[in-house]
Amino acid sequence: MIGENKIVIAAAGSGKTTYLVEEAVKIKGERVLITTYTESNEAEIRQKFFELVGHVPANVVIMTWFSFLITHGVKPFQGGLFEFPVSGMVLVSAQSGLKFRTRQGKPVFWPEDDIDKHYFDPIRRVYSDKLPKLAIRCNEMSGGAVVERISRVFQHVFVDEVQDLAGYDLDILAALARSSVRLIMVGDPRQVTYLTHHEQRYKKYADGGIIDFLRNELPRKVSVDIDETTLNRSHRNSAVICAVSSRLFPALPASQACECVRCRTGTGAVTGAFILRMADYAHFLATVRPMQLRDKITSPGVDRRWPAMNFGESKGRGFDHVVILPTEPMRLWLSDPATSLKHQSRAKFYVALTRSRHSVAIAMDWGTAPLPTGFSLYERTPPT
Protein backbone atom coordinates (compact mmCIF):
# COMPACT_ATOMS: atom_id res chain seq x y z
CA MET A 1 0.00 0.00 0.00
CA ILE A 2 1.35 3.40 -0.97
CA GLY A 3 1.15 6.01 1.76
CA GLU A 4 0.16 9.65 1.50
CA ASN A 5 2.81 11.81 -0.22
CA LYS A 6 2.91 15.59 -0.04
CA ILE A 7 5.37 18.39 -0.77
CA VAL A 8 4.75 21.85 0.62
CA ILE A 9 6.47 24.69 -1.25
CA ALA A 10 7.27 27.32 1.37
CA ALA A 11 8.05 31.00 1.17
CA ALA A 12 10.93 32.40 3.18
CA GLY A 13 9.82 33.10 6.74
CA SER A 14 6.55 31.20 6.33
CA GLY A 15 7.08 28.90 9.32
CA LYS A 16 8.30 25.63 7.77
CA THR A 17 9.66 24.30 11.05
CA THR A 18 6.54 25.28 12.98
CA TYR A 19 4.39 23.54 10.36
CA LEU A 20 6.29 20.26 10.64
CA VAL A 21 6.35 20.33 14.43
CA GLU A 22 2.61 21.01 14.61
CA GLU A 23 1.96 18.16 12.16
CA ALA A 24 4.11 15.82 14.27
CA VAL A 25 2.39 16.78 17.52
CA LYS A 26 -0.97 15.74 16.05
CA ILE A 27 0.25 12.15 15.65
CA LYS A 28 -0.37 9.78 18.54
CA GLY A 29 0.59 6.13 18.78
CA GLU A 30 2.74 6.08 15.61
CA ARG A 31 6.41 6.92 15.14
CA VAL A 32 7.51 10.04 13.29
CA LEU A 33 10.92 10.75 11.76
CA ILE A 34 11.83 14.37 11.04
CA THR A 35 15.01 14.67 9.02
CA THR A 36 16.85 17.66 7.58
CA TYR A 37 20.18 18.39 5.93
CA THR A 38 22.08 20.58 8.40
CA GLU A 39 22.86 20.10 12.09
CA SER A 40 21.76 23.69 12.76
CA ASN A 41 18.33 23.01 11.30
CA GLU A 42 18.06 19.80 13.32
CA ALA A 43 18.72 21.88 16.45
CA GLU A 44 16.14 24.44 15.32
CA ILE A 45 13.49 21.72 14.93
CA ARG A 46 14.28 20.38 18.39
CA GLN A 47 14.08 23.89 19.86
CA LYS A 48 10.72 24.49 18.17
CA PHE A 49 9.25 21.45 19.93
CA PHE A 50 10.33 22.90 23.28
CA GLU A 51 8.83 26.28 22.39
CA LEU A 52 5.48 24.82 21.33
CA VAL A 53 4.92 21.83 23.64
CA GLY A 54 7.81 21.88 26.11
CA HIS A 55 9.44 18.62 24.98
CA VAL A 56 10.08 16.30 22.05
CA PRO A 57 7.37 13.60 22.18
CA ALA A 58 8.61 10.06 22.72
CA ASN A 59 7.23 8.95 19.33
CA VAL A 60 9.25 11.58 17.41
CA VAL A 61 12.84 11.08 16.22
CA ILE A 62 14.82 14.03 14.86
CA MET A 63 18.06 13.44 12.95
CA THR A 64 20.09 14.87 10.09
CA TRP A 65 19.74 13.34 6.64
CA PHE A 66 23.24 11.88 6.78
CA SER A 67 22.63 10.28 10.20
CA PHE A 68 19.38 8.84 8.90
CA LEU A 69 21.13 7.30 5.90
CA ILE A 70 23.86 5.67 8.00
CA THR A 71 21.57 4.48 10.79
CA HIS A 72 18.62 3.28 8.75
CA GLY A 73 19.94 3.12 5.19
CA VAL A 74 23.30 1.36 5.48
CA LYS A 75 23.98 -0.38 8.80
CA PRO A 76 20.92 -2.68 9.07
CA PHE A 77 21.61 -4.43 5.73
CA GLN A 78 25.25 -3.64 4.89
CA GLY A 79 26.15 -7.36 5.03
CA GLY A 80 24.89 -7.83 1.49
CA LEU A 81 27.72 -5.57 0.27
CA PHE A 82 30.49 -5.56 2.90
CA GLU A 83 31.24 -6.90 6.38
CA PHE A 84 33.51 -4.32 8.05
CA PRO A 85 32.12 -1.77 10.55
CA VAL A 86 31.33 1.76 9.35
CA SER A 87 33.35 4.37 11.27
CA GLY A 88 31.04 7.28 10.54
CA MET A 89 31.04 9.75 7.67
CA VAL A 90 33.55 12.19 6.24
CA LEU A 91 32.20 15.36 4.63
CA VAL A 92 33.65 16.04 1.17
CA SER A 93 33.19 19.01 -1.13
CA ALA A 94 34.33 17.33 -4.37
CA GLN A 95 34.04 13.89 -5.94
CA SER A 96 35.57 11.33 -3.59
CA GLY A 97 37.45 8.07 -4.11
CA LEU A 98 40.39 9.36 -6.15
CA LYS A 99 42.65 6.50 -7.28
CA PHE A 100 45.32 8.49 -9.13
CA ARG A 101 45.85 11.21 -11.69
CA THR A 102 47.22 10.65 -15.16
CA ARG A 103 50.27 12.46 -16.41
CA GLN A 104 47.91 14.98 -17.94
CA GLY A 105 46.35 15.54 -14.51
CA LYS A 106 43.08 13.78 -15.32
CA PRO A 107 41.56 12.16 -12.20
CA VAL A 108 40.85 8.42 -12.15
CA PHE A 109 38.46 7.19 -9.45
CA TRP A 110 38.03 3.81 -7.80
CA PRO A 111 35.24 1.81 -9.49
CA GLU A 112 32.10 0.91 -7.61
CA ASP A 113 33.00 -2.76 -7.24
CA ASP A 114 36.02 -1.74 -5.10
CA ILE A 115 33.59 -1.02 -2.29
CA ASP A 116 36.07 -0.18 0.46
CA LYS A 117 37.85 2.41 -1.74
CA HIS A 118 34.91 3.72 -3.78
CA TYR A 119 32.66 4.44 -0.81
CA PHE A 120 35.09 4.76 2.12
CA ASP A 121 38.22 6.62 3.17
CA PRO A 122 41.20 4.66 4.62
CA ILE A 123 39.69 4.57 8.12
CA ARG A 124 36.34 3.27 6.85
CA ARG A 125 34.37 6.49 7.01
CA VAL A 126 31.83 6.66 4.22
CA TYR A 127 32.23 9.63 1.88
CA SER A 128 29.30 12.05 2.19
CA ASP A 129 28.82 12.22 -1.60
CA LYS A 130 28.60 8.39 -1.79
CA LEU A 131 26.40 7.78 1.27
CA PRO A 132 23.02 8.08 -0.52
CA LYS A 133 24.18 5.75 -3.30
CA LEU A 134 25.45 3.25 -0.72
CA ALA A 135 22.04 3.28 0.99
CA ILE A 136 20.37 2.63 -2.38
CA ARG A 137 22.78 -0.25 -3.09
CA CYS A 138 22.02 -1.79 0.31
CA ASN A 139 18.33 -1.52 -0.49
CA GLU A 140 18.81 -3.17 -3.89
CA MET A 141 20.99 -6.01 -2.55
CA SER A 142 18.47 -6.74 0.20
CA GLY A 143 15.49 -6.83 -2.18
CA GLY A 144 14.03 -3.59 -0.87
CA ALA A 145 14.44 -4.52 2.80
CA VAL A 146 15.98 -1.16 3.73
CA VAL A 147 12.93 0.87 2.73
CA GLU A 148 10.56 -1.82 3.99
CA ARG A 149 12.23 -1.67 7.41
CA ILE A 150 12.09 2.15 7.48
CA SER A 151 8.37 2.00 6.74
CA ARG A 152 7.88 -0.36 9.69
CA VAL A 153 10.00 1.71 12.08
CA PHE A 154 8.51 5.06 11.05
CA GLN A 155 4.94 5.37 9.84
CA HIS A 156 5.54 9.06 9.08
CA VAL A 157 8.67 10.56 7.49
CA PHE A 158 8.94 14.36 7.36
CA VAL A 159 11.76 15.90 5.29
CA ASP A 160 12.62 19.53 5.97
CA GLU A 161 14.65 21.68 3.53
CA VAL A 162 13.98 19.08 0.83
CA GLN A 163 15.37 21.41 -1.84
CA ASP A 164 18.89 20.67 -0.52
CA LEU A 165 18.73 17.01 -1.57
CA ALA A 166 20.29 15.88 -4.85
CA GLY A 167 21.50 12.87 -6.83
CA TYR A 168 20.82 9.54 -5.12
CA ASP A 169 19.01 11.38 -2.31
CA LEU A 170 16.20 11.76 -4.81
CA ASP A 171 16.15 7.99 -5.38
CA ILE A 172 15.64 7.58 -1.64
CA LEU A 173 12.77 10.07 -1.68
CA ALA A 174 11.24 8.18 -4.62
CA ALA A 175 11.56 4.85 -2.77
CA LEU A 176 9.90 6.34 0.32
CA ALA A 177 7.12 7.78 -1.87
CA ARG A 178 6.45 4.27 -3.23
CA SER A 179 6.36 2.79 0.29
CA SER A 180 3.61 2.76 2.90
CA VAL A 181 5.02 5.68 4.90
CA ARG A 182 3.28 9.02 5.02
CA LEU A 183 5.89 11.24 3.38
CA ILE A 184 5.72 15.00 3.90
CA MET A 185 8.42 17.16 2.31
CA VAL A 186 8.81 20.87 2.96
CA GLY A 187 11.17 23.26 1.24
CA ASP A 188 11.75 26.34 -0.85
CA PRO A 189 13.26 25.69 -4.31
CA ARG A 190 14.43 29.30 -4.32
CA GLN A 191 16.87 28.64 -1.46
CA VAL A 192 19.23 26.04 -2.91
CA THR A 193 22.43 27.52 -1.50
CA TYR A 194 23.68 24.16 -0.20
CA LEU A 195 23.40 20.68 -1.69
CA THR A 196 24.07 17.40 0.11
CA HIS A 197 26.53 16.65 -2.70
CA HIS A 198 27.22 17.49 -6.34
CA GLU A 199 26.41 14.16 -7.95
CA GLN A 200 25.90 14.09 -11.73
CA ARG A 201 22.83 11.89 -11.30
CA TYR A 202 19.64 13.92 -11.80
CA LYS A 203 21.80 16.99 -12.38
CA LYS A 204 18.98 18.66 -14.30
CA TYR A 205 16.95 18.77 -11.07
CA ALA A 206 19.80 20.04 -8.85
CA ASP A 207 18.89 23.75 -8.96
CA GLY A 208 15.54 23.72 -7.19
CA GLY A 209 13.91 21.22 -9.53
CA ILE A 210 12.39 18.97 -6.87
CA ILE A 211 8.84 19.43 -8.20
CA ASP A 212 9.90 18.50 -11.74
CA PHE A 213 11.67 15.43 -10.36
CA LEU A 214 8.54 14.25 -8.55
CA ARG A 215 6.39 14.87 -11.63
CA ASN A 216 8.76 13.31 -14.15
CA GLU A 217 10.52 10.45 -12.38
CA LEU A 218 7.91 8.80 -10.15
CA PRO A 219 5.65 6.07 -11.55
CA ARG A 220 2.24 7.29 -12.60
CA LYS A 221 0.55 5.31 -9.81
CA VAL A 222 2.62 7.18 -7.18
CA SER A 223 0.97 10.53 -6.61
CA VAL A 224 2.41 13.48 -4.70
CA ASP A 225 0.20 16.34 -3.58
CA ILE A 226 1.96 19.61 -4.47
CA ASP A 227 0.87 22.30 -2.01
CA GLU A 228 1.92 25.82 -3.03
CA THR A 229 -0.51 27.75 -0.81
CA THR A 230 -0.32 26.54 2.82
CA LEU A 231 3.10 28.12 3.44
CA ASN A 232 3.03 30.91 0.86
CA ARG A 233 2.72 33.75 3.38
CA SER A 234 5.83 35.14 5.01
CA HIS A 235 5.67 36.00 8.69
CA ARG A 236 9.04 37.73 8.37
CA ASN A 237 9.15 39.81 5.20
CA SER A 238 7.12 42.91 4.49
CA ALA A 239 4.98 43.17 1.38
CA VAL A 240 7.69 45.21 -0.36
CA ILE A 241 10.40 42.65 0.40
CA CYS A 242 8.12 39.81 -0.74
CA ALA A 243 7.53 41.62 -4.03
CA VAL A 244 11.16 42.42 -4.84
CA SER A 245 12.46 38.97 -3.84
CA SER A 246 9.76 37.13 -5.79
CA ARG A 247 10.97 38.79 -9.01
CA LEU A 248 14.03 36.53 -8.88
CA PHE A 249 11.86 33.46 -9.52
CA PRO A 250 8.96 34.54 -11.74
CA ALA A 251 8.02 30.93 -12.57
CA LEU A 252 7.08 30.24 -8.93
CA PRO A 253 4.07 31.75 -7.13
CA ALA A 254 5.01 35.09 -5.60
CA SER A 255 5.19 35.01 -1.82
CA GLN A 256 2.82 37.21 0.16
CA ALA A 257 3.27 39.03 3.46
CA CYS A 258 1.08 37.75 6.27
CA GLU A 259 -1.46 40.02 7.92
CA CYS A 260 -0.77 38.90 11.49
CA VAL A 261 -0.95 41.85 13.89
CA ARG A 262 1.88 40.37 15.96
CA CYS A 263 4.15 40.12 12.91
CA ARG A 264 3.41 43.61 11.61
CA THR A 265 3.99 45.70 14.75
CA GLY A 266 7.13 47.54 15.76
CA THR A 267 8.36 48.15 12.23
CA GLY A 268 10.47 51.17 13.19
CA ALA A 269 11.33 54.28 11.20
CA VAL A 270 13.14 52.59 8.30
CA THR A 271 11.06 50.22 6.18
CA GLY A 272 11.20 49.13 2.56
CA ALA A 273 13.79 48.22 -0.07
CA PHE A 274 16.57 50.68 -0.82
CA ILE A 275 19.53 51.33 -3.04
CA LEU A 276 22.21 52.58 -0.65
CA ARG A 277 24.95 54.84 -1.99
CA MET A 278 28.39 53.86 -0.72
CA ALA A 279 28.85 57.39 0.65
CA ASP A 280 25.89 56.70 2.97
CA TYR A 281 27.02 53.20 3.99
CA ALA A 282 28.64 54.15 7.30
CA HIS A 283 25.67 56.35 8.21
CA PHE A 284 23.21 53.52 7.48
CA LEU A 285 25.19 51.11 9.67
CA ALA A 286 25.37 53.56 12.55
CA THR A 287 21.71 54.61 12.49
CA VAL A 288 19.81 51.51 11.31
CA ARG A 289 22.14 48.81 12.73
CA PRO A 290 21.55 46.23 9.97
CA MET A 291 23.22 42.85 9.51
CA GLN A 292 25.77 43.07 6.70
CA LEU A 293 25.35 40.21 4.21
CA ARG A 294 28.15 39.31 1.80
CA ASP A 295 29.01 36.52 -0.61
CA LYS A 296 32.13 35.39 1.29
CA ILE A 297 34.45 36.54 4.05
CA THR A 298 36.82 38.14 1.53
CA SER A 299 34.09 40.22 -0.15
CA PRO A 300 35.08 43.91 -0.28
CA GLY A 301 33.14 46.72 1.37
CA VAL A 302 32.33 45.10 4.74
CA ASP A 303 32.74 47.38 7.75
CA ARG A 304 34.57 45.19 10.26
CA ARG A 305 33.24 47.19 13.18
CA TRP A 306 29.74 45.82 12.61
CA PRO A 307 28.44 42.23 12.38
CA ALA A 308 28.45 40.45 9.02
CA MET A 309 27.44 37.07 7.65
CA ASN A 310 27.86 35.19 4.37
CA PHE A 311 24.72 34.73 2.28
CA GLY A 312 24.67 30.96 2.78
CA GLU A 313 25.39 31.26 6.50
CA SER A 314 22.39 33.56 6.95
CA LYS A 315 19.94 31.00 5.57
CA GLY A 316 17.22 30.29 8.12
CA ARG A 317 17.99 33.45 10.09
CA GLY A 318 15.93 36.62 10.41
CA PHE A 319 16.92 40.23 11.18
CA ASP A 320 15.07 43.51 11.49
CA HIS A 321 17.28 45.16 8.87
CA VAL A 322 19.93 43.94 6.42
CA VAL A 323 22.34 45.56 4.03
CA ILE A 324 23.55 43.48 1.09
CA LEU A 325 26.95 43.82 -0.55
CA PRO A 326 26.01 42.40 -3.96
CA THR A 327 28.29 40.51 -6.31
CA GLU A 328 28.83 41.87 -9.80
CA PRO A 329 26.28 39.45 -11.37
CA MET A 330 23.71 40.60 -8.79
CA ARG A 331 24.39 44.26 -9.61
CA LEU A 332 24.00 43.55 -13.31
CA TRP A 333 20.70 41.74 -12.69
CA LEU A 334 19.36 44.68 -10.69
CA SER A 335 20.20 46.98 -13.57
CA ASP A 336 18.62 44.60 -16.11
CA PRO A 337 16.54 41.61 -14.90
CA ALA A 338 16.93 40.07 -18.37
CA THR A 339 20.62 39.59 -17.61
CA SER A 340 21.62 35.99 -17.08
CA LEU A 341 22.06 35.12 -13.40
CA LYS A 342 23.27 31.64 -12.46
CA HIS A 343 20.95 29.70 -10.20
CA GLN A 344 23.41 29.66 -7.30
CA SER A 345 23.76 33.46 -7.42
CA ARG A 346 20.00 33.84 -7.81
CA ALA A 347 19.36 31.62 -4.77
CA LYS A 348 21.93 33.44 -2.63
CA PHE A 349 20.43 36.80 -3.60
CA TYR A 350 16.95 35.55 -2.74
CA VAL A 351 18.16 34.30 0.66
CA ALA A 352 19.84 37.63 1.37
CA LEU A 353 16.79 39.69 0.37
CA THR A 354 14.44 37.61 2.51
CA ARG A 355 16.40 37.73 5.79
CA SER A 356 14.89 41.10 6.77
CA ARG A 357 11.65 41.91 8.54
CA HIS A 358 11.57 45.64 7.90
CA SER A 359 14.21 46.95 5.50
CA VAL A 360 16.72 45.67 2.99
CA ALA A 361 19.35 47.90 1.42
CA ILE A 362 21.57 47.11 -1.57
CA ALA A 363 24.92 48.86 -1.17
CA MET A 364 25.93 50.15 -4.61
CA ASP A 365 26.26 53.41 -6.49
CA TRP A 366 23.44 53.50 -9.01
CA GLY A 367 23.85 56.38 -11.40
CA THR A 368 21.04 58.10 -13.31
CA ALA A 369 19.08 55.07 -14.61
CA PRO A 370 15.62 54.38 -13.15
CA LEU A 371 15.77 52.43 -9.91
CA PRO A 372 14.77 48.74 -9.90
CA THR A 373 11.06 48.10 -9.46
CA GLY A 374 10.12 48.24 -5.78
CA PHE A 375 13.31 50.04 -4.66
CA SER A 376 13.81 53.63 -3.57
CA LEU A 377 17.01 55.56 -2.95
CA TYR A 378 18.00 55.70 0.71
CA GLU A 379 18.08 59.28 1.91
CA ARG A 380 19.63 60.37 5.19
CA THR A 381 17.14 61.87 7.59
CA PRO A 382 18.09 65.53 7.88
CA PRO A 383 19.01 66.65 11.41
CA THR A 384 16.25 68.36 13.34
Side-chain angles (χ1 to χ4, degrees):
M1 181 183 71
I2 296 174
E4 172 192 348
N5 300 309
K6 181 178 183 179
I7 182 168
V8 183
I9 304 303
S14 60
K16 297 189 297 292
T17 303
T18 299
Y19 171 82
L20 286 179
V21 169
E22 289 177 343
E23 286 294 311
V25 169
K26 296 175 186 177
I27 299 166
K28 311 295 182 184
E30 294 183 323
R31 285 171 59 82
V32 182
L33 169 69
I34 304 180
T35 181
T36 187
Y37 176 35
T38 65
E39 291 180 353
S40 61
N41 204 48
E42 177 199 14
E44 182 185 353
I45 294 167
R46 203 174 299 276
Q47 179 61 32
K48 186 61 67 174
F49 271 103
F50 282 96
E51 290 176 9
L52 294 181
V53 296
H55 68 287
V56 178
N59 65 318
V60 175
V61 174
I62 308 166
M63 59 172 53
T64 65
W65 182 252
F66 287 137
S67 295
F68 164 60
L69 293 183
I70 289 179
T71 304
H72 295 283
V74 174
K75 288 187 174 181
F77 295 97
Q78 67 181 53
L81 287 175
F82 60 94
E83 296 292 344
F84 54 83
V86 178
S87 301
M89 185 197 75
V90 57
L91 193 63
V92 297
S93 58
Q95 185 175 348
S96 63
L98 179 67
K99 187 176 183 180
F100 63 87
R101 289 185 181 275
T102 65
R103 289 181 179 178
Q104 294 76 31
K106 183 179 179 181
V108 177
F109 297 92
W110 288 101
E112 191 172 347
D113 54 1
D114 283 304
I115 289 174
D116 60 333
K117 296 181 176 64
H118 179 78
Y119 290 103
F120 297 90
D121 75 354
I123 59 173
R124 301 283 171 78
R125 295 178 301 180
V126 60
Y127 295 118
S128 61
D129 65 326
K130 301 285 179 55
L131 178 53
K133 181 165 71 168
L134 184 58
I136 287 293
R137 295 293 176 259
C138 288
N139 188 57
E140 292 170 347
M141 291 297 293
S142 63
V146 170
V147 173
E148 197 276 331
R149 177 183 176 276
I150 291 171
S151 66
R152 284 189 283 108
V153 175
F154 301 107
Q155 291 74 50
H156 307 262
V157 175
F158 296 174
V159 182
D160 197 9
E161 303 291 1
V162 70
Q163 78 279 350
D164 291 333
L165 304 186
Y168 281 92
D169 293 322
L170 302 183
D171 288 298
I172 294 167
L173 290 179
L176 291 172
R178 293 192 298 267
S179 76
S180 62
V181 304
R182 177 189 178 214
L183 177 64
I184 296 182
M185 300 163 281
V186 177
D188 185 353
R190 294 161 286 212
Q191 296 191 54
V192 185
T193 58
Y194 296 118
L195 288 174
T196 49
H197 50 87
H198 297 276
E199 172 68 53
Q200 292 299 305
R201 185 170 178 79
Y202 299 132
K203 187 174 182 179
K204 63 182 177 180
Y205 303 121
D207 293 328
I210 182 65
I211 294 177
D212 288 336
F213 169 80
L214 296 172
R215 284 173 171 159
N216 299 340
E217 304 295 338
L218 291 181
R220 190 168 297 179
K221 66 178 181 179
V222 180
S223 63
V224 178
D225 177 25
I226 299 172
D227 181 347
E228 295 180 315
T229 59
T230 297
L231 294 179
N232 193 40
R233 290 192 172 272
S234 177
H235 297 279
R236 178 193 305 136
N237 305 140
S238 67
V240 170
I241 294 172
C242 285
V244 298
S245 61
S246 293
R247 288 173 51 222
L248 280 160
F249 293 90
L252 290 172
S255 59
Q256 306 293 324
C258 75
E259 298 176 355
C260 309
V261 174
R262 177 173 57 86
C263 298
R264 302 302 161 198
T265 56
T267 57
V270 179
T271 61
F274 303 99
I275 298 297
L276 175 67
R277 290 169 293 213
M278 297 310 297
D280 294 327
Y281 192 78
H283 176 271
F284 190 81
L285 291 180
T287 56
V288 181
R289 305 286 180 96
M291 174 60 73
Q292 300 175 93
L293 297 181
R294 67 203 172 189
D295 185 39
K296 50 192 173 185
I297 197 168
T298 56
S299 296
V302 174
D303 190 324
R304 307 294 175 184
R305 297 171 297 176
W306 301 93
M309 297 180 76
N310 292 352
F311 296 146
E313 181 189 4
S314 72
K315 184 178 173 182
R317 302 288 298 275
F319 308 97
D320 285 343
H321 308 278
V322 303
V323 58
I324 298 170
L325 292 153
T327 62
E328 182 62 20
M330 294 173 186
R331 286 192 287 267
L332 291 173
W333 182 86
L334 280 168
S335 299
D336 180 8
T339 302
S340 177
L341 188 61
K342 291 182 179 179
H343 186 92
Q344 191 78 348
S345 292
R346 196 176 292 267
K348 286 182 178 181
F349 200 15
Y350 176 83
V351 166
L353 286 168
T354 55
R355 294 313 91 198
S356 177
R357 299 180 184 91
H358 307 316
S359 77
V360 57
I362 312 295
M364 60 183 293
D365 291 320
W366 187 258
T368 59
L371 293 172
T373 302
F375 285 85
S376 58
L377 190 66
Y378 176 75
E379 301 283 1
R380 296 192 190 197
T381 304
T384 55

